[in-house]
Amino acid sequence: MRRLQDFDNEYLFVLPKDVLQDYIFSPIIANLYVTDLGFFPNAQYHYVHREQGSAGWIIIFCTGGTGTVEVNGTMYQLHQYSLIIMPPGIRHTYYASQNDPWDIYWLHFRGKLADEYINVSPNKAHFIDQLTSDQVNSTMRQFWQMIKSFLPGFTYDSVFFVSQVLGVMLATLALGDTDQQTSTHGGSYVDAAIHYIYQHIDEPIKLTDVARHLGISTSYLSRKFKAVVNSSVIEFVTTIKMKRASHYLQYTNVPIQQIAQRLGYTDSYYFSRVFKKEFGLSPRHFRNRL
């Protein structure tokens, strides 16, 4: 831990790379871990600009005063009990206001499953303008738990504990954000995804295509889609395509190769294999049986 000039009662922890390398053998820590952590009160001269973004995710939780965060040209005004999460590799700038400088808890984190914990698009910030009172209390408590754990040093147990506290924090924020926006927020993404699938049913459709169109991460779309539809996006796409194929086979004389092309399959043999897996019969046998 080290102290910064012009700050009072601040905390700043930067975990050495060799320490993290020693502990990442743990699959739990490797999935989610903190690299930097701190608390800056009355941070009047606090200013950070990263043209290439950060190597990890960043959380800033404002507990007093005000400040500004700019991510990829989008401005966010932080005030008491607002919070922002910035993805890695995205240009950003943040600074405290001169007249009412912010008090902030902040941390940087990484991990193999970091983006699985909360709805964070890989291309833009996730901003919560006003946390609920329950979220405020739990988030402040969790930050202090992490800070106090690092005070004696960066032992394996402390790094492991902080990793778990961070996971709980992110899960709590995700749950609270869902409660604030209601389940229709996630449901609206699912509705939009289904609309996109039907509009592009004659093309090859990938999960990344749908997520990119909606401006959200693939992991978030996958979770919400599974929760609402009870299938993966690709399973749903295949089911819809095969149902439409069965309609063509039953009620039209369109050749099987053309049916495959109408549904975005450039290889009619592959289309036949997918159809047989869905219905237990090849397209030709399915049509002949009818």
Side-chain angles (χ1 to χ4, degrees):
M1 182 187 76
R2 60 189 176 93
R3 300 175 66 81
L4 298 181
Q5 187 177 0
D6 297 325
F7 288 94
D8 183 30
N9 296 324
E10 84 289 343
Y11 295 90
L12 171 60
F13 302 94
V14 179
L15 276 71
K17 291 183 179 179
D18 56 346
V19 170
L20 289 173
Q21 287 299 322
D22 288 342
Y23 296 158
I24 279 179
F25 73 87
S26 164
I28 296 178
I29 294 178
N31 285 336
L32 184 72
Y33 58 92
V34 171
T35 62
D36 307 75
L37 170 68
F39 173 67
F40 291 163
N42 193 31
Q44 185 174 4
Y45 303 107
H46 187 214
Y47 176 91
V48 175
H49 173 74
R50 298 185 179 93
E51 187 64 27
Q52 303 301 322
S54 172
W57 302 80
I58 301 175
I59 299 178
I60 297 177
F61 172 39
C62 182
T63 59
T66 59
T68 301
V69 177
E70 179 183 352
V71 181
N72 249 1
T74 301
M75 305 290 290
Y76 303 91
Q77 300 301 321
L78 271 68
H79 51 84
Q80 188 176 44
Y81 304 146
S82 57
L83 181 144
I84 192 167
I85 303 178
M86 292 175 277
I90 301 297
R91 178 175 58 86
H92 61 253
T93 304
Y94 51 88
Y95 50 89
S97 65
Q98 293 184 356
N99 298 327
D100 187 22
W102 58 18
D103 304 327
I104 56 168
Y105 290 96
W106 58 272
L107 63 80
H108 296 208
F109 68 95
R110 304 185 198 179
K112 295 178 181 178
L113 300 181
D115 63 344
E116 295 289 337
Y117 281 83
I118 196 168
N119 171 28
V120 181
S121 167
N123 301 313
K124 59 184 179 182
H126 179 74
F127 178 61
I128 304 177
D129 183 65
Q130 186 71 45
L131 271 66
T132 66
S133 58
D134 287 342
Q135 285 179 309
V136 169
N137 292 334
S138 63
T139 304
M140 291 183 69
R141 182 175 63 253
Q142 288 154 354
F143 264 109
W144 270 114
Q145 286 178 323
M146 290 188 282
I147 287 172
K148 288 189 292 184
S149 296
F150 281 159
L151 284 174
F154 305 129
T155 65
Y156 174 82
D157 288 341
S158 66
V159 173
F160 183 93
F161 177 77
V162 168
S163 169
Q164 300 308 290
V165 174
L166 173 60
V168 173
M169 176 191 290
L170 293 173
T172 303
L173 290 171
L175 178 62
D177 193 36
T178 301
D179 291 342
Q180 285 183 354
Q181 301 180 36
T182 75
S183 60
T184 59
H185 180 68
S188 65
Y189 282 131
V190 174
D191 291 343
I194 292 174
H195 178 74
Y196 177 91
I197 290 167
Y198 275 102
Q199 290 297 310
H200 296 80
I201 200 69
D202 59 340
E203 304 170 11
I205 300 174
K206 299 179 181 178
L207 173 63
T208 52
D209 297 331
V210 184
R212 188 184 303 114
H213 174 75
L214 299 179
I216 59 178
S217 67
T218 55
S219 59
Y220 180 69
L221 174 60
S222 295
R223 290 199 308 274
K224 290 300 181 183
F225 203 95
K226 183 72 173 180
V228 175
V229 183
N230 197 32
S231 77
S232 71
V233 173
I234 298 306
E235 288 171 346
F236 181 83
V237 169
T238 301
T239 298
I240 295 303
K241 285 177 179 283
M242 293 304 102
K243 286 183 177 179
R244 185 163 294 192
S246 69
H247 175 85
Y248 288 138
L249 292 167
Q250 291 181 71
Y251 302 111
T252 75
N253 292 320
V254 176
I256 292 174
Q257 185 175 3
Q258 290 186 24
I259 293 175
Q261 292 174 350
R262 287 188 182 187
L263 297 172
Y265 292 92
T266 57
D267 185 344
S268 59
Y269 293 102
Y270 176 71
F271 163 74
S272 295
R273 290 198 301 269
V274 175
F275 187 91
K276 185 174 183 179
K277 184 177 180 180
E278 186 80 9
F279 290 97
L281 293 170
S282 68
R284 182 171 61 85
H285 289 145
F286 184 90
R287 172 173 274 172
N288 290 341
R289 189 189 67 174
L290 295 174

